[in-house]
Amino acid sequence: MYVIRYTSNSDVSRNRSYLFHGRAQITLITERYYFYKRHTLRGLHRLVFYQLPRFGKFYPELINMLSLDADQLDERKVCTLYSELDGHRLAQVLGERQAKKMFSNRQHVCVLDAE
């Protein structure tokens, strides 16, 4: 399933319903779609950002859409891919101090855990 800025309203509704009822394993949305529509995506269990959002406030908004069902709390995961070129976007999401700390780290994987 995918939803882009120019997807018809009926297709968007169908895709959102599939996601909510668990009939869609993967739904791809673009930042442009979210910028213009801001629909709540119910039924999310995992998020993968292959690039940090241009607008830092989108990151927590999307993470806050993760399912809050008590029986699915262990399934909630967020994976964010970034590189040195994403320094500005990472600073918008995490703050400048945390972004510098992550880039100065020699490890290839950084894990952020929030309770």
Side-chain angles (χ1 to χ4, degrees), residues 28-42:
L28 174 69
I29 66 166
T30 63
E31 184 176 4
R32 185 175 176 92
Y33 163 79
Y34 187 71
F35 179 84
Y36 285 102
K37 300 291 185 173
R38 298 283 175 92
H39 286 140
T40 299
L41 302 171
R42 298 179 305 158

Side-chain angles (χ1 to χ4, degrees), residues 71-110:
D71 59 334
Q72 298 170 338
L73 288 179
D74 291 341
E75 293 182 25
R76 296 184 324 164
K77 306 274 187 233
V78 178
C79 177
T80 305
L81 307 175
Y82 66 92
S83 72
E84 299 89 21
L85 302 175
D86 295 318
H88 178 69
R89 290 183 181 193
L90 191 63
Q92 284 182 329
V93 171
L94 298 175
E96 209 166 305
R97 184 181 309 155
Q98 183 66 28
K100 284 181 182 179
K101 186 176 177 182
M102 289 175 74
F103 282 122
S104 66
N105 190 349
R106 297 234 182 253
Q107 296 178 355
H108 294 287
V109 176
C110 294

Side-chain angles (χ1 to χ4, degrees), residues 49 52-53 55-64 78 80 93-94:
F49 292 91
L52 286 159
F55 300 98
K57 67 181 181 177
F58 289 175
Y59 193 78
E61 286 178 8
L62 289 164
I63 289 174
N64 286 331
V78 178
T80 305
V93 171
L94 298 175

